[in-house]
């Protein structure tokens, strides 16, 4: 059975006109899982979700949008938060990915995110 998170990535995230959600999701997955897990070769055992600082998220957004004139990473992060709930939670200092997905879906989620980032 497909998780609601994978359904979101496949159906809703790709409708966005920018790559911000894809950048945030990809960055969080990459921060929290090793290469074997990201390739779908092993299952994570963790009690805490992947977490990145707000500064790290802003850096990833900026790196992925260097060609956009007048790009504002703060504004892009804020504009994306509403569509990322309930999958990504944010406080003033940290972004964290909820654990509402199947670990076997990680490779497919990363592939979709990478594709979206390259297109937009």
């Amino acid at each position: 059975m497909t998780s609601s998170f994978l359904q979101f990535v496949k159906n809703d995230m790709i409708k966005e006109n920018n790559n911000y959600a894809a950048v945030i999701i990809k960055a969080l997955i990459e921060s929290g899982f090793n290469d074997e897990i990201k390739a779908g070769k092993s299952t994570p055992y963790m009690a805490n979700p992947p977490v990145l600082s707000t500064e790290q998220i802003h850096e990833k957004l900026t790196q992925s949008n260097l060609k956009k004139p007048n790009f504002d990473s703060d504004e892009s992060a804020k504009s994306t938060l509403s569509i990322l709930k309930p999958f990504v939670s944010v406080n003033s200092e940290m972004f964290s990915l909820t654990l509402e997905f199947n670990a076997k879906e990680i490779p497919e989620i990363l592939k979709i995110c990478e594709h979206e980032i390259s297109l937009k």
Side-chain angles (χ1 to χ4, degrees):
M1 185 172 155
T2 304
S3 72
S4 57
F5 184 51
L6 180 56
Q7 289 176 350
F8 163 77
V9 170
K10 282 181 166 179
N11 302 314
D12 297 327
M13 184 190 78
I14 63 169
K15 294 176 188 172
E16 291 296 304
N17 293 328
N18 54 56
N19 66 10
Y20 310 153
V23 169
I24 292 169
I25 291 168
K26 181 177 183 272
L28 286 167
I29 288 174
E30 288 179 341
S31 77
F33 302 108
N34 66 29
D35 290 341
E36 281 194 7
I37 292 168
K38 290 186 285 190
K41 295 178 181 171
S42 69
T43 304
Y45 296 99
M46 60 191 327
N48 296 317
V51 174
L52 285 174
S53 71
T54 301
E55 185 178 303
Q56 290 169 306
I57 291 291
H58 287 254
E59 188 177 302
K60 294 286 188 184
L61 285 165
T62 300
Q63 288 171 355
S64 297
N65 291 281
L66 288 173
K67 295 180 181 175
K68 293 182 181 177
N70 303 316
F71 177 75
D72 183 339
S73 64
D74 188 48
E75 192 57 42
S76 64
K78 286 179 185 173
S79 70
T80 307
L81 293 179
S82 62
I83 68 156
L84 289 175
K85 290 179 183 174
F87 309 110
V88 174
S89 62
V90 182
N91 65 33
S92 61
E93 298 174 12
M94 303 299 272
F95 281 67
S96 64
L97 187 65
T98 64
L99 297 176
E100 295 183 24
F101 60 94
N102 183 328
K104 292 177 183 163
E105 297 171 343
I106 291 172
E108 186 174 1
I109 291 169
L110 286 173
K111 184 177 177 183
I112 294 167
C113 287
E114 287 167 3
H115 182 72
E116 288 300 302
I117 292 167
S118 70
L119 287 178
K120 300 171 182 171

